[in-house]
Amino acid sequence: QVQLVESGGGLVQAGGSLRLSCPASGRTNSVGWFRQAPGKEREFVAAISWSGGTTNAADSVKGRFTISRDNAKNTVYLQMNSLKPEDTAVYYCATGWVAGSSVQSDYDYWGQGTQVTVSS
């Protein structure tokens, strides 16, 4: 059983930064970050393989967000820089077995989410 508890969300001004954390108990091959804005479908943000050798990111966040992992701490991070109001959403981390997948159905376990709000 994999347990996921996201943290690091909050309120930040446009142009600011936040770092989200996802400590994941148990072995998994891929950890992904997804987000859901009010009234919108949940969408892929970024993913990383267990080894860290495979990463994937949505075009909307490339160059601004960086996903990384510390296997010694069993934690995946999402560093978010140059935040925009359109990044406002609940951010979820999830684990699965397809390395770096952007497909939600490839993920088996999901956290409860952490709110990120970017003010203009």
Side-chain angles (χ1 to χ4, degrees), residues 4-48:
L4 306 171
V5 181
E6 305 95 335
S7 63
L11 172 64
V12 64
Q13 288 188 331
S17 298
L18 284 173
R19 188 178 78 159
L20 305 184
S21 300
C22 177
S25 64
R27 173 67 184 267
T28 180
N29 197 41
S30 188
V31 175
W33 284 98
F34 295 80
R35 67 186 181 186
Q36 187 167 22
K40 294 188 177 181
E41 300 274 327
R42 188 164 58 188
E43 64 177 5
F44 170 72
V45 177
I48 189 167

Side-chain angles (χ1 to χ4, degrees), residues 4-12 18-23 32-38 42-43 45 65 76-80 83 87-94 110-118:
L4 306 171
V5 181
E6 305 95 335
S7 63
L11 172 64
V12 64
L18 284 173
R19 188 178 78 159
L20 305 184
S21 300
C22 177
W33 284 98
F34 295 80
R35 67 186 181 186
Q36 187 167 22
R42 188 164 58 188
E43 64 177 5
V45 177
F65 292 10
V76 170
Y77 303 98
L78 184 68
Q79 178 67 43
M80 305 187 296
L83 283 161
D87 295 318
T88 295
V90 177
Y91 283 71
Y92 300 89
C93 69
W110 293 78
Q112 83 291 348
T114 185
Q115 177 70 47
V116 171
T117 303
V118 184

